[in-house]
Amino acid sequence: MSQTTSNPKPEPSVQVPKVILRTGRFLQSISTLAAAKYAKRLFITPFKHKMPRREYHMDEQSEQTPLFVPEILKTILVYRYGKSDKKILLAHGWSGRGTQLVKIADHFLKLGYEIISFDAPAHGKASGATTSMPEFIASIHEIEKEFGPFEFAIGHSLGGMALLNAVREGFQTKKLVTIGAADVITDIILHFTRTLTLKDTVAEKMKTMLDTQFGEDIDYASAHNAAKEVHIPTLVVHDEHDGDVPVSCAHAIHNELSNGSIHITQHFGHRRILGKKEVIEKIDGFLLSVND
């Protein structure tokens, strides 16, 4: 594992448009509740980014199938990349898409695996405008029913959090990898509202709204809580200079795993890490090792 170095605080990979910041502050000047409602809507609304050229071949060569998820009454899009009895599930993060982990997919495709990935609700080519982690988790369970079983599962960011929760709830796989996964949902909300330059009171009200919406304390689904009930071999990968998710999340998750490993990289950030040779080789060694 790489050693921690002293460096300036990493910059986030995505900058918030000024119009959004101004709108939030204006609403906050009228009512923190109004600002909380506005922030909550933004929080559950992913951006749909244009697919970069490096992902075109996976998009073109995949068999793509709409899959209705009864639990959430939404339809996702499932990608089948290659054909094999040995399958790996890939789960993208917030504002990602089913082809985002293409470098990892290509690597294991060459090794004879079939890659199953998906556009979560309101992501990629899937319909809808809003979604949340419970919908990611429900999608993973439905994919397992229709396309499983899976040898391994790999999740980036929110996809890693969702996979930890899915495994806790019974999703079956031999080994799990998380990359850049966040942890405590309250902290995520607080970071989000501070990024919007809003008061911490707005985050508190927003958290209360989400607790009410989902019928429980949403911190139950925090990654370190889920990790307590994940007993399969799990590799936690994170970059020391991730500007979106602090590396402390990786250590918190790893500390709760009963059969966990951790790999910390340097200067790969939150998204570029997905295509780095060092990371792919580490994942390969972990998943294909017979000693774990």
Side-chain angles (χ1 to χ4, degrees):
M1 183 181 79
S2 304
Q3 296 298 311
T4 301
T5 58
S6 177
N7 286 283
K9 184 178 179 181
E11 290 294 325
S13 61
V14 178
Q15 298 298 320
V16 180
K18 291 181 179 179
V19 64
I20 291 178
L21 299 179
R22 287 195 294 266
T23 301
R25 289 195 294 265
F26 171 73
L27 291 171
Q28 179 178 257
S29 69
I30 300 171
S31 163
T32 53
L33 180 59
K37 290 179 179 178
Y38 175 70
K40 175 180 175 289
R41 180 71 183 186
L42 292 174
F43 189 71
I44 62 174
T45 304
F47 291 104
K48 289 193 177 184
H49 299 290
K50 183 179 179 181
M51 181 186 296
R53 186 173 297 276
R54 65 178 175 272
E55 299 174 20
Y56 284 5
H57 67 278
M58 182 176 175
D59 181 56
E60 293 166 356
Q61 297 170 23
S62 295
E63 177 185 318
Q64 299 177 20
T65 306
L67 178 65
F68 181 68
V69 184
E71 182 179 336
I72 59 175
L73 301 177
K74 293 186 178 182
T75 298
I76 62 174
L77 185 70
V78 177
Y79 296 75
R80 298 186 66 179
Y81 190 40
K83 296 291 183 182
S84 174
D85 292 333
K86 301 184 300 179
K87 298 179 182 179
I88 299 177
L89 176 64
L90 304 182
H92 66 76
W94 190 254
S95 293
R97 60 205 159 267
T99 54
Q100 191 171 18
L101 281 69
V102 61
K103 295 294 186 181
I104 295 171
D106 283 343
H107 178 84
F108 286 99
L109 181 70
K110 291 176 182 177
L111 296 178
Y113 288 88
E114 178 177 343
I115 308 302
I116 304 292
S117 62
F118 64 102
D119 290 338
H123 286 76
K125 300 175 186 178
S127 60
T130 63
T131 190
S132 60
M133 186 165 68
E135 294 188 350
F136 271 63
I137 299 169
S139 297
I140 289 167
H141 287 308
E142 194 64 26
I143 290 169
E144 182 182 26
K145 292 177 186 176
E146 296 296 326
F147 298 96
F150 294 99
E151 295 275 314
F152 311 123
I154 304 170
H156 174 239
S157 196
L158 182 65
M161 296 178 70
L163 280 170
L164 285 165
N165 278 278
V167 170
R168 168 165 66 176
E169 294 176 0
F171 175 80
Q172 296 293 309
T173 188
K174 294 177 181 177
K175 294 183 182 181
L176 172 64
V177 177
T178 69
I179 307 171
D183 183 21
V184 180
I185 298 175
T186 294
D187 292 346
I188 297 171
I189 293 171
L190 186 60
H191 173 75
F192 180 77
T193 54
R194 286 177 175 176
T195 300
L196 295 177
T197 65
L198 301 174
K199 297 176 181 177
D200 290 354
T201 303
V202 174
E204 294 169 4
K205 292 182 178 181
M206 184 175 152
K207 164 71 161 52
T208 299
M209 291 177 190
L210 290 167
D211 286 344
T212 301
Q213 179 178 338
F214 296 113
E216 64 180 355
D217 184 342
I218 56 174
D219 278 333
Y220 171 76
S222 296
H224 79 278
N225 280 334
K228 296 174 184 178
E229 299 177 56
V230 173
H231 305 297
I232 58 173
T234 300
L235 172 64
V236 178
V237 180
H238 211 109
D239 191 73
E240 187 75 33
H241 307 93
D242 188 322
D244 292 5
V245 179
V247 70
S248 58
C249 294
H251 294 293
I253 295 167
H254 176 245
N255 288 342
E256 298 297 344
L257 291 165
S258 61
N259 194 357
S261 304
I262 189 168
H263 180 69
I264 305 300
T265 62
Q266 300 286 336
H267 303 292
F268 289 169
H270 187 65
R271 292 177 177 82
R272 288 186 299 111
I273 193 172
L274 297 173
K276 293 298 182 178
K277 183 178 179 182
E278 170 192 327
V279 172
I280 295 171
E281 289 179 346
K282 184 68 178 181
I283 293 171
D284 177 292
F286 170 74
L287 292 181
L288 303 186
S289 170
V290 295
N291 297 321
D292 290 314

